[in-house]
């Protein structure tokens, strides 16, 4: 079984994070110290090692000191994500102080030009829900009721100032769907859930890989096609993320068509060729946002919910082991950018592209494959529905 070797790798990754807790100028959940703090809390819970807990609390103290200085309100780049981390570390006073500042900045419709999960309303709603501020969560998603545009199969939203409509979790319709469905379920708002289902129907109507698979383009008309691939496979803009939304809609509605769609996403992911780097730009990232760790999160959900064949999850972890740099300072990962010279990027500590996101998924994989400990996380992630 590959888990014992993976446990050594995970401990080395946690050790590297202790020494590299993130850029002093970046407190964010995406690349910065908020994501690192949550990963260190995961390591502390998994290993029972006080060093990791102490490091997590040190990072948390720096976040609390910055609440009044951060101008961005969003989940992944601003105060809402910091609030999620502070709440996870037990500093609810600072978490609610951060969300109070977020609430003050609401203009009645939105917080900025983006109107989606990473930067806009949907992410703020999910973060507020995680911290326990249902009123802010409901406030954040209510504007979607008035701004939905009818489409051939359902509805979607203008998520950016330019014309392209994106379809997936990070910047598109399915991220909004997830926020509507989760907030609607938590608050008993059937109108929010119904709107979520209409948004999901729009995305389902764009599938180009049925009836076995599921693959929807990044955006229509294509957003920045000079640098953005038309099709992706990871969490952010591909079926590995779409499947989480479909899983949750199945939990909410009891309709078996939604988990069937999640299964079709899995077929497309496993038959795409990843984690092999089959061509330049195809699969250059090890991380959680658009790389191997994000696919591992879905693989582990399937192990828990469906008692799935573990061989693909094992393959993903073997690839992470093979691509790790391991020395006396710990373990870390370098991603690849085929358009740059040199093409190997510097290792990052954060959740999206670095150690924090990879570490969380490795630790959960180990517990599932060894049968030791909980099959979930010590700290849930705002946009990752818990496996049941």
């Amino acid at each position: 079984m590959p888990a014992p070797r993976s446990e050594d790798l995970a401990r080395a990754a946690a050790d590297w994070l202790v020494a590299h807790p993130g850029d002093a100028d970046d407190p964010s959940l995406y690349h910065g110290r908020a994501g690192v703090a949550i990963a260190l809390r995961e390591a502390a819970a998994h290993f029972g090692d006080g060093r990791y807990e102490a490091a997590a609390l040190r990072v948390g103290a720096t976040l609390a000191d910055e609440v009044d200085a951060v101008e961005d309100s969003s989940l992944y780049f601003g105060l809402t994500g910091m609030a999620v981390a502070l709440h996870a570390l037990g500093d609810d006073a600072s978490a609610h102080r951060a969300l109070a500042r977020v609430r003050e900045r609401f203009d009645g419709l939105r917080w900025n030009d983006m109107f989606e999960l990473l930067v806009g309303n949907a992410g703020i709603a999910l973060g507020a829900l995680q911290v326990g501020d249902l009123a802010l969560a409901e406030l954040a998603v209510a504007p979607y009721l008035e701004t939905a545009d009818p489409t051939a199969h359902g509805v979607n939203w203008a998520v950016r100032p330019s014309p392209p409509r994106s379809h997936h979790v990070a910047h598109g319709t399915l991220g909004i769907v997830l926020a509507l469905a989760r907030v609607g379920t938590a608050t008993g708002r059937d109108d929010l859930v119904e709107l979520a289902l209409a948004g999901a129907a729009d995305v389902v109507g764009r599938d180009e890989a049925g009836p076995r698979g599921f693959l929807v383009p990044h955006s229509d008309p294509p957003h920045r096609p000079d640098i953005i691939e038309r099709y992706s496979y990871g969490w952010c803009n591909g079926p590995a993320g779409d499947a989480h939304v479909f899983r949750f809609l199945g939990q909410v509605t009891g309709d078996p068509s939604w988990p069937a769609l999640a299964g079709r996403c899995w077929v497309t992911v496993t038959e795409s060729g990843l984690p092999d780097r089959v061509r330049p730009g195809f699969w250059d990232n090890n991380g959680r946002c658009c790389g191997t760790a994000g696919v591992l999160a879905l693989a582990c959900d399937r192990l828990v919910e469906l008692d799935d064949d573990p061989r693909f999850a094992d393959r993903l972890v073997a690839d992470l082991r093979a691509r790790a740099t391991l020395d006396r300072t710990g373990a870390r990962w370098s991603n690849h950018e085929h358009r740059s010279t040199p093409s190997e990027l510097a290792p990052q500590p954060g959740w999206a592209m670095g150690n924090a996101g990879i570490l969380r998924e490795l630790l959960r994989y180990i517990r599932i494959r060894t049968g030791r400990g909980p099959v979930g996380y010590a700290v849930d992630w705002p946009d990752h529905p818990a496996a049941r």
Side-chain angles (χ1 to χ4, degrees), residues 96-164:
H96 287 287
R97 181 161 54 93
L99 291 185
R101 298 196 72 222
V102 172
R103 182 182 278 100
E104 290 169 359
R105 296 171 178 175
F106 183 54
D107 70 2
L109 181 67
R110 60 207 302 158
W111 278 266
N112 54 64
D113 287 342
M114 297 299 287
F115 198 51
E116 32 67 283
L117 190 147
L118 252 68
V119 187
N121 289 47
I124 289 171
L126 289 168
L129 191 64
Q130 177 129 341
V131 178
D133 191 337
L134 268 66
L136 178 57
E138 196 170 359
L139 185 74
V141 294
Y144 292 121
L145 290 163
E146 306 301 327
T147 54
D149 293 321
T151 66
H153 298 281
V155 301
N156 67 15
W157 291 266
V159 295
R160 59 174 61 85
S162 56

Side-chain angles (χ1 to χ4, degrees), residues 30 41 75 180 183 192 209-210 275 279 292 302 379:
Y30 192 79
R41 169 55 62 87
L75 173 62
L180 286 165
V183 176
L192 298 179
R279 60 176 172 79
T292 302
R302 292 180 60 84
V379 180

Side-chain angles (χ1 to χ4, degrees), residues 170-262:
H171 291 298
T173 300
L174 285 182
I176 296 170
V177 164
L178 182 60
L180 286 165
R182 295 196 73 170
V183 176
T185 301
T187 59
R189 291 279 302 271
D190 291 342
D191 57 336
L192 298 179
V193 176
E194 289 170 6
L195 187 62
L197 295 173
D202 171 77
V203 178
V204 173
R206 299 174 187 272
D207 171 47
E208 299 179 6
R212 284 186 68 246
F214 188 86
L215 188 65
V216 170
H218 175 277
S219 48
D220 293 296
H223 177 60
R224 303 188 70 188
D226 54 322
I227 63 169
I228 295 177
E229 297 270 353
R230 179 72 172 151
Y231 303 96
S232 301
Y233 296 90
W235 167 81
C236 53
N237 290 296
D242 301 347
H244 291 304
V245 182
F246 298 150
R247 288 175 48 244
F248 186 71
L249 293 178
Q251 294 173 8
V252 169
T253 65
D255 182 343
S257 67
W258 296 114
L261 279 164

Side-chain angles (χ1 to χ4, degrees), residues 26-65:
D26 187 353
S28 75
L29 197 63
Y30 192 79
H31 280 310
R33 283 173 282 115
V36 169
I38 292 175
L40 288 167
R41 169 55 62 87
E42 290 286 343
H46 181 92
F47 292 112
D49 190 327
R51 292 183 305 126
Y52 303 136
E53 181 69 12
L57 293 174
R58 285 197 301 272
V59 175
T62 69
L63 296 176
D65 289 341

